[in-house]
Amino acid sequence: FNEKSCGGRLKVVFVPMETSVYCDDRQEAHKLSRLAAGRFDYAVMTEELSVEERCSAIARCGLFVGMRFHSLVFALSSAVPSIAMYHGEYYERKVTGLFEAYDMLRYRLSMDDMEGLGPLLSALYKERAGIKTELRRKHSDILRLQDKVYSSLFSL
């Protein structure tokens, strides 16, 4: 993908969503750094980040690949073309609901199908301008529906 679609200019920024003593995504980031070595520019956000800082970092991305539900919510609601990677039925259901709401079902990928990541990234990259526009429109629709639900709940 880096060579074919990005002309060798790919920069990957790993934004950890969980950094507690119980689960630290930065450990996974170091595994990915071995894969990146010499192939593409790679950085890990190692500082402690607030939720707002994580959301802001994701919103500045050109494309986003995520496994954590909240990171995918941040990306899609910020109109960042995204791929959801999942493992197992539980996570598939979670990302399917979210990606269905944004009409992005095509951009889900099982971790059992990693050879599909390159072609899916290429398609996302080629279609990114139209996807950004559609994500903005869809997010606006979701907010309008949310307002309608809130109004019906509180205007008894």
Side-chain angles (χ1 to χ4, degrees):
F1 170 74
N2 183 31
E3 294 302 323
K4 291 179 183 176
S5 296
C6 297
R9 299 181 323 255
L10 178 66
K11 179 174 183 173
V12 174
V13 178
F14 190 100
V15 182
M17 294 301 290
E18 178 79 30
T19 57
S20 73
V21 294
Y22 305 105
C23 178
D24 192 336
D25 290 343
R26 293 172 293 195
Q27 293 171 358
E28 298 300 320
H30 294 297
K31 293 177 186 176
L32 185 58
S33 69
R34 291 189 296 266
L35 175 67
R39 293 177 153 169
F40 51 87
D41 190 10
Y42 181 71
V44 179
M45 298 183 84
T46 57
E47 64 274 14
E48 289 299 319
L49 301 169
S50 68
V51 171
E52 294 83 5
E53 289 168 325
R54 285 182 176 100
C55 186
S56 176
I58 291 168
R60 291 189 307 268
C61 293
L63 300 177
F64 186 77
V65 178
M67 293 174 55
R68 299 265 189 199
F69 184 80
H70 288 93
S71 68
L72 292 162
V73 170
F74 295 163
L76 294 176
S77 65
S78 298
V80 177
S82 303
I83 294 173
M85 296 182 67
Y86 61 87
H87 182 69
E89 182 184 340
Y90 172 74
Y91 292 102
E92 180 181 13
R93 281 185 281 140
K94 282 180 76 167
V95 300
T96 295
L98 175 62
F99 273 57
E100 185 174 43
Y102 282 92
D103 292 330
M104 293 284 290
L105 284 173
R106 172 180 177 206
Y107 294 102
R108 297 168 304 131
L109 183 69
S110 169
M111 300 231 359
D112 295 330
D113 184 24
M114 290 304 293
E115 65 273 359
L117 182 57
L120 200 56
L121 269 170
S122 293
L124 189 70
Y125 183 75
K126 287 177 191 166
E127 300 168 17
R128 68 190 182 280
I131 290 172
K132 285 180 82 65
T133 299
E134 190 58 25
L135 287 173
R136 283 187 195 102
R137 186 193 64 73
K138 195 63 180 171
H139 187 66
S140 180
D141 291 347
I142 289 169
L143 291 177
R144 270 195 296 282
L145 180 59
Q146 178 182 341
D147 286 343
K148 193 174 181 180
V149 169
Y150 287 163
S151 292
S152 68
L153 286 173
F154 299 113
S155 63
L156 301 172

